[in-house]
Amino acid sequence: MVMDRMLEHTCAGPTRPHLRFMLDLSPPPPPSPEQARKLHARLWRAARRVLLFVGFLWLLLVVLAVAHIDPAGFGLFPGRIDALTGILTAPLVHAGVEHLLANSFGLILLGMLVLYRYPQSAPIAITAIWLLSGLGTWLIGRPSWHIGASGLTHGLMFFVFVSGLIRRDRTSIAASMLAFAFFGGMLHTIFPQSEEVSFEYHLSGAIAGVLLAVLMRRRDPAPPRRKYSWEIEEELEREQAERPANELEIPRPDEVPVLWQRPEPERGTVIQFPDRRPNGEDDQERPTLH
C-alpha cells in the first residue's frame, strides 16, 4: 500500500565560504550614460519580475488556505501518469508559510542574478530548469507528493555557480561567488537528508542547472573590460601586419634603409679575354724578349 505523503522541499541549508578564483583585476571601462541607463533599467526589470512571481506564490498560498484546498492536489507524484501535470504546478504550491518563506529568498536573489547577468539565457534556462527538475523527480522520486519551488531554486543556484566557473569573466564570477556565499548549503541538500524533504527535486534541479549552464555558456556576451597597454600594442601590430601594402603610402621610419645599411652597388664585371697562345704552348717554354 502506497502512503500518499506530502514532501516539502526547501532551499534552506548551511552556507559555505565562497571559493577563491584567479580574478582579472583590471577595472572595467566606465559605462557611458546610455549604457548605465540600460543596466539600471535591466536591474529594476529583473527585480519587478521576480517580486511579481514571488508575490503570486504568496497570494496562491493564501487563497488555498482560505478555500481549504489541499496543495498536494497540485503536486507531483512520481510514476503516476495522471500526476504529470504536477511538473507544471508543483513549484507553485507550498505546504505553509514556513515552507514558502524558506524558498522566497532564494527565488528573489537567484532570480535577479539570472535575469540581470544572463538576460538572453534566462527565459530558456528558467523554463528548462522548471520542466527538467519536475520530469527528473517524476522519474526517480519516491512514491509521495512532491511540492514546492526548491527544485527551481537549486537549478538557478547551480546555473549561476557553474556559469561563473565556465565563463570566468568578472560579473559571472561575482554572481557565482554571491550565489555560493548565500546558498552553498545546496551542495548538501541534493543528497538524502530527511524523509520529509524531497532531495529528488533538489538533485533534478541541480542537474538541470549544470546542463543549462554548459549549453548556454556562449549565449550572453561577456561585458567589456579595460585593456592593458601591451594588449593594445599587440593589436596595432597585428592590424599593421595584416594591412595590404599600398604603393602610395609613405613607408614607416623603421622600413626606410639608412646609409650604413644599404646594399653595396654593383661596380661592373670583369671581362675575361681569350687566350691567344698556340695550343699546347706553355708560358715557361716561350722565350722572353728583351
Side-chain angles (χ1 to χ4, degrees):
M1 178 178 179
V2 177
M3 179 182 297
D4 292 351
R5 192 172 70 230
M6 181 170 55
L7 299 184
E8 302 177 9
H9 40 282
T10 65
C11 65
T15 58
R16 298 289 181 180
H18 60 265
L19 299 177
R20 295 182 179 179
F21 295 93
M22 297 299 293
L23 297 177
D24 179 10
L25 299 179
S26 59
S32 63
E34 181 65 19
Q35 292 175 336
R37 187 188 64 80
K38 290 182 179 180
L39 293 175
H40 186 73
R42 186 200 300 177
L43 177 62
W44 283 106
R45 185 166 57 249
R48 284 196 305 268
R49 292 177 179 178
V50 172
L51 292 176
L52 284 175
F53 176 71
V54 175
F56 172 74
L57 297 184
W58 281 99
L59 178 62
L60 184 60
L61 178 68
V62 173
V63 170
L64 294 179
V66 171
H68 301 286
I69 299 176
D70 187 3
F74 301 93
L76 173 65
F77 199 97
R80 283 175 47 171
I81 301 298
D82 58 342
L84 277 173
T85 55
I87 296 177
L88 301 177
T89 59
L92 301 175
V93 293
H94 293 77
V97 174
E98 185 178 353
H99 186 198
L100 180 54
L101 189 63
N103 283 329
S104 295
F105 180 64
L107 289 173
I108 293 174
L109 181 57
L110 294 171
M112 288 185 61
L113 286 177
V114 173
L115 290 173
Y116 177 75
R117 176 58 192 92
Y118 307 103
Q120 299 181 19
S121 303
I124 300 175
I126 294 174
T127 303
I129 290 172
W130 187 304
L131 299 177
L132 292 177
S133 61
L135 180 60
T137 305
W138 188 85
L139 293 174
I140 68 173
R142 289 165 288 172
S144 300
W145 291 103
H146 300 252
I147 63 172
S150 63
L152 179 60
T153 57
H154 278 70
L156 295 178
M157 184 274 176
F158 277 82
F159 175 80
V160 174
F161 179 66
V162 176
S163 295
L165 296 180
I166 295 176
R167 297 169 60 90
R168 300 193 66 79
D169 59 79
R170 291 174 60 92
T171 54
S172 296
I173 293 176
S176 175
M177 295 173 66
L178 183 62
F180 190 79
F182 282 98
F183 306 104
M186 290 185 180
L187 293 177
H188 298 277
T189 56
I190 61 176
F191 303 105
Q193 301 288 329
S194 173
E195 293 183 358
E196 297 180 355
V197 177
S198 176
F199 79 93
E200 297 93 338
Y201 230 138
H202 300 171
L203 178 60
S204 301
I207 294 175
V210 173
L211 178 62
L212 268 296
V214 175
L215 295 178
M216 298 289 170
R217 65 187 182 277
R218 303 186 186 279
R219 188 170 182 85
D220 291 273
R225 66 178 184 88
R226 184 173 296 172
K227 296 182 179 179
Y228 294 102
S229 58
W230 58 81
E231 293 178 321
I232 299 176
E233 293 175 358
E234 291 177 356
E235 291 182 359
L236 292 176
E237 291 178 358
R238 244 185 338 261
E239 292 177 1
Q240 186 67 27
E242 296 174 356
R243 187 182 305 170
N246 189 353
E247 296 180 357
L248 301 179
E249 186 178 0
I250 300 177
R252 294 170 52 184
D254 56 350
E255 296 177 353
V256 178
V258 293
L259 180 62
W260 54 85
Q261 291 182 352
R262 291 180 179 176
E264 290 290 336
E266 296 184 0
R267 300 182 180 276
T269 57
V270 178
I271 300 176
Q272 198 72 357
F273 290 96
D275 191 3
R276 296 183 178 179
R277 292 174 297 177
N279 295 336
E281 184 177 351
D282 193 359
D283 290 341
Q284 298 179 357
E285 297 178 358
R286 296 179 57 185
T288 302
L289 300 179
H290 299 280

